[in-house]
Amino acid sequence: MFFVDTLELEGLGNRSYLAGGPDAAVVVDPPRDIDQVIAAAAKRGVRIAYVAETHVHNDYVTGGLELARVTGAAYLIPAGAHVSFAHAPVADGDTVTVDEGLVLRAIATPGHTPHHTSYVLEEDGRGVAAFTGGSLLIGTVGRPDLVEPRLTEELARAQHASAHRLADELDDEVPVLPTHGFGSFCSSAQAEGDATTIGKERETNDALNLDVDTFVARTLAGLDDVPAYYAHMGPANAAGPVPVDLTPPRRADAEEIAARLAAGEWVVDLRNRVAFAEGHVAGSFNFEGEGKLATYLAWLIPWGRPVTLLADTPRQIAVAQRELARVGIDRPAAAATGDPADWIRTGRQLASFPRARFADLADVRARGEDVVVLDVRRNSERAGGHIDGSVHIPVHELHSRIGEVPDGTVWVHCAGGMRAAIAASLLDAADRDVVAVDDGFDAATDAGLSLTSG
């Protein structure tokens, strides 16, 4: 009897899998913090016999090399991948026996990367689970544009062929278990639903329902911005990531926080955006620990810049540290928790800025007040409709383009409030007068604000 356990990486929008039988298991696309994988195997009472990568990942640092070292498992990596450490190369059609009656079979599925490989778990010769990595996802496929721009169209065509190969070789009831697609920017579109099968994908996935030319054109037209930190993930994974260190960072006092800010380092406040707006260390940036912390902090920060974390509790620091390690932001320089008043020097005041709704913005405009409306959504979001007269700078570009924001009080908005809070903190740190619009974008129309499409 086989099992498949799913390990959710919600912050990155990814999943890893532990699958096997009574005695042994394989781990597919493990996260960097391998302790949770080892704990899951211990709970099952199984030995990790294999660690399998579907591809050299572009969006997170893998824990595969360290997991294989710690457990003694064989490390399966597609033969076409270029890595600089010892491993077991896997080619199309190769099989390994995971446990009695359980075989893992490799299927070459290029598209997300040229070497991408899916794995089918077979029980007594029958496919029971397909680990599709960045190939066939829920209702979509993995992006084909993360390797090399000149290969994008070729890889999009390969995605179409790979999806059809999986559908042709597997029965309708076989579960499709992708790594990407749950918020990850490695997905060409976001998943609708939480689970799927080959049969469901036959009915709904464009890759299986459109001719190749139409599929490629639609896929390429829908590609969005690539997070800047992706450029560092592939090389880190190919070189072999170092073991992660999750021991607590050293405690920073008010003097050290001030010194680190003066030195141009990043001080990141993990508290919720309401608390941050009400009072924060001047110059600090707000990346909510409950939001997509790793994605957006790694996207915006100059790579390698030291980070000091501020939070309500040590647990929030520990969770954030784990999230950031997954994208290669290792070892915070320092951290502080508790009362924000303790994070500033004696005699200094906490900084603050107002929050508002779209209805408040409509009132201000109705009174004829001259304010700057800054839209920090992505290009694809803005194309669907934007506030007349608004300035557009995506949040991931704002830190380097803050000088382009017109003079005046800046009302900054996104689609829901989280990215507006990040942007407001960047503007506040640059001594701009800012109002953070903490509201869903649908409310802009309800408030009577005029929208323009395109």
Side-chain angles (χ1 to χ4, degrees):
M1 190 67 181
F2 75 96
F3 72 88
V4 177
D5 291 340
T6 301
L7 304 176
E8 296 276 1
L9 303 175
E10 293 183 5
L12 295 177
N14 286 329
R15 289 177 176 177
S16 297
Y17 301 94
L18 174 73
D23 300 313
V26 58
V27 178
V28 181
D29 290 343
R32 191 178 184 195
D33 46 325
I34 63 172
D35 55 334
Q36 62 175 317
V37 182
I38 293 171
K43 185 176 180 180
R44 282 283 184 180
V46 295
R47 172 177 60 89
I48 297 175
Y50 296 95
V51 176
E53 302 282 8
T54 56
H55 59 295
V56 175
H57 301 283
N58 292 293
D59 64 328
Y60 69 92
V61 180
T62 181
L65 182 62
E66 180 66 2
L67 183 60
R69 185 190 69 80
V70 169
T71 63
Y75 193 15
L76 311 180
I77 294 180
H82 299 291
V83 297
S84 58
F85 47 83
H87 63 283
V90 177
D92 184 43
D94 284 352
T95 61
V96 296
T97 299
V98 178
D99 206 338
E100 185 175 355
L102 279 181
V103 169
L104 192 72
R105 176 167 63 95
I107 299 180
T109 49
H112 187 48
T113 67
H115 61 266
H116 191 283
T117 299
S118 298
Y119 300 94
V120 177
L121 187 66
E122 298 177 340
E123 183 179 45
D124 298 327
R126 179 179 61 90
V128 292
F131 303 101
T132 55
S135 183
L136 188 64
L137 312 185
I138 299 179
T140 184
V141 294
R143 295 178 68 145
D145 63 326
L146 300 180
V147 176
E148 159 61 56
R150 291 171 295 184
L151 294 177
T152 298
E153 182 174 345
E154 176 185 333
L155 290 177
R157 291 181 179 277
Q159 279 289 50
H160 187 271
S162 292
H164 278 267
R165 182 180 179 191
L166 289 169
D168 290 344
E169 292 194 16
L170 301 174
D171 294 335
D172 280 354
E173 64 270 18
V174 175
V176 174
L177 304 172
T179 299
H180 304 314
F182 310 95
S184 168
F185 282 89
C186 269
S187 175
S188 59
Q190 293 313 308
E192 294 186 5
D194 192 53
T196 192
T197 62
I198 290 292
K200 289 179 181 177
E201 292 310 303
R202 283 191 217 277
E203 297 173 357
T204 61
N205 199 304
D206 279 355
L208 298 174
N209 288 282
L210 298 176
D211 66 85
V212 63
D213 290 334
T214 303
F215 168 77
V216 169
R218 186 173 296 185
T219 298
L220 300 189
L223 294 174
D224 214 330
D225 297 328
V226 178
Y229 71 92
Y230 277 25
H232 305 281
M233 300 296 96
N237 288 325
V242 299
V244 66
D245 179 2
L246 295 177
T247 56
R250 60 188 301 275
R251 181 181 176 278
D253 60 15
E255 290 296 327
E256 182 175 350
I257 292 170
R260 291 189 177 279
L261 282 168
E265 297 181 10
W266 276 37
V267 174
V268 172
D269 192 323
L270 302 170
R271 295 176 301 147
N272 70 71
R273 53 188 180 261
V274 177
F276 182 87
E278 290 177 349
H280 56 269
V281 177
S284 62
F285 302 138
N286 183 211
F287 290 80
E288 292 180 304
E290 298 299 319
K292 294 182 73 67
L293 168 67
T295 295
Y296 282 101
L297 179 54
W299 198 340
L300 270 70
I301 192 170
W303 198 251
R305 188 73 56 89
V307 178
T308 295
L309 301 177
L310 309 177
D312 291 317
T313 67
R315 185 182 183 283
Q316 290 172 331
I317 297 290
V319 170
Q321 186 177 349
R322 181 178 291 267
E323 283 275 324
L324 295 176
R326 291 172 179 163
V327 293
I329 300 179
D330 290 357
R331 301 303 306 150
T337 58
D339 187 346
D342 295 333
W343 303 339
I344 56 174
R345 291 167 168 166
T346 302
R348 299 293 178 90
Q349 298 293 317
L350 292 171
S352 64
F353 54 77
R355 297 165 51 253
R357 302 287 186 184
F358 281 110
D360 301 313
L361 175 58
D363 289 343
V364 166
R365 280 191 154 189
R367 293 197 299 268
E369 295 185 30
D370 186 17
V371 298
V372 178
V373 179
L374 176 62
D375 181 349
V376 296
R377 296 174 301 159
R378 295 188 301 278
N379 293 331
S380 59
E381 295 173 283
R382 183 171 171 87
H386 58 269
I387 296 172
D388 287 350
S390 61
V391 176
H392 181 226
I393 302 177
V395 68
H396 57 272
E397 298 178 9
L398 183 58
H399 186 249
S400 60
R401 296 178 57 190
I402 220 158
E404 299 177 28
V405 180
D407 294 338
T409 299
V410 183
W411 287 62
V412 58
H413 79 85
C414 60
M418 181 194 74
R419 288 172 292 172
I422 295 172
S425 71
L426 297 174
L427 290 160
D428 180 72
D431 293 324
R432 295 297 304 270
D433 291 330
V434 63
V435 177
V437 178
D438 192 359
D439 207 353
F441 189 68
D442 289 345
T445 301
D446 297 338
L449 292 164
S450 298
L451 302 187
T452 299
S453 297

